[in-house]
Amino acid sequence: MNIQSTTRLLRLHQLDNVAVATVLLPERLEVIADGITIVPTATIPAGHKVALGKIADGDAILKFGQAIGYAAGNIEPGDHVHVHNVVATKPGQDYAFATEIHIPPKPETERTFMGFRRPNGTVGTRNYVAVISTVNCSATTAKYVAKELTETDLSNYPNIDGIVAFVHKEGCALAFNSDDHRQLNRTMAGFANHPNIVARIVLGLGCETAQATHLEREHALVQLGGINEPDTELPMVLNIQEVGGVRKTVAKAVEVLRELLPRANDVQRVPIPISELKVAMECGGSDGNSGITANPAVGVASDLLVAHGATTILSETTEIYGAEHLLTRRAITPEVGEQLLERIRWWEDYARRYDASIDNNPSVGNKNGGLTTIYEKSLGAIAKGGTSPLRAVYKYAEPITEKGFVIMDSPGFDPASITGKVASGAQIVVFTTGRGSCFGCKPSPTIKVATNTPMFERMRDDMDINAGEILNGMSVEEVGQQIFESIIATASGQQTLSEAQGIGDEEFCPWFPGPIF
């Protein structure tokens, strides 16, 4: 896609009966889209849609060549097409499996980044020390430990990126060994054993359902550098009730980690093939430009990574909804396609149990930015996955072992979605935003990609890359290459803007789909 700077309206597919405004269009201003002259009957905000011709009541609204909803009454040429005249009814999907398999060409030369090779063979892009709280009751204690070491010891260890307390609001009042309990354990273990974490200690209260000892036993947690330490007598797990209260636990945990800090600091970056990378792809605070600029550009970067043997991870199943038929065609086998549909059906049933539906997902900010229905949002969101084959579908926070483009099931809530992907092994996050989400996530650095130039200029301290340049004539491929190079630089230690601001300590957010008792 190469968009000329004079373009005020974009028709994204020859079948589309709407076009997208790239700038604010005043009422009665004559504009041209794909050879069609349009006179807006109302002011059309940037990122919003305008009818290219008459759309009869009940007819499909077509964008990206796909139905995104249906007309709620007659729509005239030049009318603003949005929530006031569109019904969000899910189109009937034509599912096919493994019919559109495009293998990205293998690159002529192998690219590398400068990362940390752990003793167990895994690869880190950062070098953090973690204090992991199993339950909300030990959260404050974990924060006290991280705060004390940060203020007193961290400056002596330049190779340690930080000491982070991973805390959450749950961990008790759920059934022992239930799906939620196992999912929480999976998430905490994914962070504890993450290659971006060099040393860690786990803190519990002692009487909670999510027992720290159960976590340690079931997930073979390691204490330092990616290897088990049979020769050390340092405890991996501390329970406040057993140690004797908060103050004694803080003192003991600080003592343990002080023993580990010198060895945690004893690392150096070495050249590593980018085939060792797992990259999480996320969109949040989306707008009408997300599916035109930033998301397709991330898709180009995804295909480049896959071509080099790396793994790219799409999630937010509720923001795949309505576009899943395009992904099943890319599934490497019918079984993989069926696994995606099983997750879609699970979400439909999950919503029904709570008298809700998953076709109302666009937020207030999404709608203000021009997104009308979840189907429109989903069609733009899956563009982050490029065109490579879909190799596997994982449940939330499951360890990802497959190379290539994969999906991990998650809700559309950004902190929960990214927490799951990092727990699954993602060492880098690429996050697109049109409204201006300021997300960061330790221990995995987050590259922020703006979908439009006005927001990028307004939030320069937060946005790493401006994909809005696509609306000014730069190609999607050029911006995708820029994102690809930024991923390599970030993996090699270059700070993202969210890292420079210290963002990421509060974003750990395990997903709990089940009941709390």
Side-chain angles (χ1 to χ4, degrees):
M1 185 192 306
N2 195 330
I3 299 169
Q4 300 301 314
S5 60
T6 56
T7 302
R8 293 180 175 180
L9 273 178
L10 291 177
R11 189 186 193 191
L12 301 173
H13 191 279
Q14 61 183 3
L15 296 178
D16 290 357
N17 53 14
V18 296
V20 180
T22 63
V23 296
L24 185 143
L25 300 178
E27 182 179 355
R28 313 311 304 175
L29 174 71
E30 185 176 283
V31 288
I32 299 175
D34 200 20
I36 302 171
T37 301
I38 295 297
V39 179
T41 60
T43 298
I44 310 295
H48 286 240
K49 297 173 292 297
V50 60
L52 293 175
K54 183 178 178 64
I55 305 173
D57 183 17
D59 281 358
I61 308 296
L62 298 175
K63 182 182 176 184
F64 305 110
Q66 302 285 326
I68 63 169
Y70 297 88
N74 293 324
I75 298 174
E76 300 299 324
D79 280 357
H80 183 198
V81 179
H82 200 29
V83 293
H84 62 286
N85 55 8
V86 177
V87 176
T89 302
K90 187 178 183 183
Q93 304 294 20
D94 175 22
Y95 294 119
F97 301 97
T99 59
E100 297 180 15
I101 306 298
H102 305 292
I103 307 294
K106 196 169 184 178
E108 294 180 3
T109 57
E110 185 178 64
R111 296 288 300 275
T112 62
F113 69 98
M114 299 298 291
F116 301 108
R117 177 70 71 181
R118 305 302 186 192
N120 65 355
T122 60
V123 172
T125 65
R126 293 296 184 268
N127 202 49
Y128 281 99
V129 172
V131 185
I132 298 174
S133 170
T134 64
V135 66
N136 181 245
C137 307
S138 57
T140 300
T141 305
K143 287 185 175 182
Y144 286 167
V145 173
K147 183 174 184 290
E148 180 167 337
L149 286 168
T150 299
E151 292 177 350
T152 59
D153 292 62
L154 187 58
S155 61
N156 298 321
Y157 301 103
N159 292 333
I160 297 176
D161 289 305
I163 301 168
V164 187
F166 292 108
V167 304
H168 55 92
K169 302 297 183 185
E170 308 294 344
C172 205
L174 67 166
F176 186 83
N177 211 33
S178 62
D179 287 346
D180 272 9
H181 184 196
R182 291 194 298 272
Q183 184 162 293
L184 175 60
N185 271 1
R186 213 162 56 226
T187 306
M188 292 190 294
F191 273 69
N193 289 335
H194 197 281
N196 287 2
I197 301 291
V198 64
R200 70 284 290 158
I201 192 166
V202 179
L203 302 183
L205 177 61
C207 58
E208 66 273 14
T209 302
Q211 287 288 305
T213 50
H214 180 268
L215 170 65
E216 181 184 29
R217 182 176 63 253
E218 294 295 314
H219 291 273
L221 301 188
V222 295
Q223 190 168 57
L224 177 68
I227 56 173
N228 287 305
E229 298 284 316
D231 58 333
T232 182
E233 296 182 0
L234 297 174
M236 174 78 179
V237 168
L238 295 175
N239 282 317
I240 296 169
Q241 292 168 347
E242 294 173 6
V243 176
V246 170
R247 289 187 180 181
K248 290 179 181 177
T249 304
V250 171
K252 183 62 177 177
V254 167
E255 176 189 340
V256 170
L257 289 176
R258 277 190 176 135
E259 290 284 328
L260 298 175
L261 290 180
R263 295 175 65 184
N265 187 66
D266 187 20
V267 295
Q268 61 179 352
R269 291 184 181 270
V270 297
I272 293 172
I274 63 175
S275 59
E276 302 266 11
L277 284 176
K278 295 183 177 75
V279 179
M281 303 177 295
E282 188 81 8
C283 54
S286 301
D287 69 353
N289 294 311
S290 295
I292 300 170
T293 62
N295 290 351
V298 170
V300 170
S302 175
D303 285 341
L304 289 170
L305 288 163
V306 169
H308 280 83
T311 302
T312 61
I313 311 165
L314 186 70
S315 62
E316 302 180 285
T317 313
T318 52
E319 295 180 16
I320 291 172
Y321 189 63
E324 69 272 13
H325 62 296
L326 301 180
L327 292 171
T328 60
R329 286 162 164 75
R330 291 165 52 190
I332 201 69
T333 64
E335 289 75 19
V336 171
E338 284 290 355
Q339 287 170 9
L340 175 59
L341 294 184
E342 186 277 328
R343 289 290 84 199
I344 293 289
R345 290 190 288 267
W346 184 93
W347 277 99
E348 289 175 327
D349 179 66
Y350 178 71
R352 280 193 294 268
R353 276 183 273 149
Y354 294 95
D355 295 323
S357 64
I358 58 174
D359 61 1
N360 61 352
N361 189 271
S363 67
V364 171
N366 293 157
K367 292 174 182 176
N368 288 342
L371 292 173
T372 302
T373 69
I374 185 56
Y375 315 117
E376 178 182 11
K377 186 177 182 182
S378 293
L379 289 163
I382 68 167
K384 300 192 300 295
T387 61
S388 298
L390 172 60
R391 296 279 178 180
V393 176
Y394 291 88
K395 291 186 178 179
Y396 186 84
E398 280 187 330
I400 290 174
T401 57
E402 188 76 30
K403 297 285 190 179
F405 168 58
V406 304
I407 290 173
M408 185 209 74
D409 181 39
S410 83
F413 182 44
D414 298 326
S417 174
I418 294 176
T419 294
K421 283 182 285 198
V422 172
S424 288
Q427 310 113 311
I428 298 277
V429 178
V430 179
F431 192 122
T432 70
T433 181
R435 304 296 291 174
S437 178
C438 300
F439 191 87
C441 179
K442 296 176 181 178
S444 298
T446 301
I447 300 167
K448 303 301 288 298
V449 184
T451 74
N452 63 87
T453 298
M455 186 273 288
F456 176 81
E457 296 290 351
R458 192 169 61 250
M459 301 183 69
R460 274 186 172 269
D461 293 337
D462 301 277
M463 299 296 128
D464 297 282
I465 294 172
N466 180 21
E469 290 292 349
I470 293 169
L471 298 177
N472 297 325
M474 187 178 285
S475 72
V476 171
E477 289 71 25
E478 287 176 301
V479 177
Q481 184 71 44
Q482 183 182 356
I483 295 169
F484 175 71
E485 296 297 339
S486 179
I487 290 168
I488 295 174
T490 301
S492 300
Q494 177 178 289
Q495 269 201 332
T496 65
L497 290 177
S498 64
E499 286 184 290
Q501 297 187 72
I503 299 171
D505 291 84
E506 303 295 335
E507 282 72 14
F508 180 65
C509 181
W511 172 40
F512 291 88
I516 299 296
F517 298 103

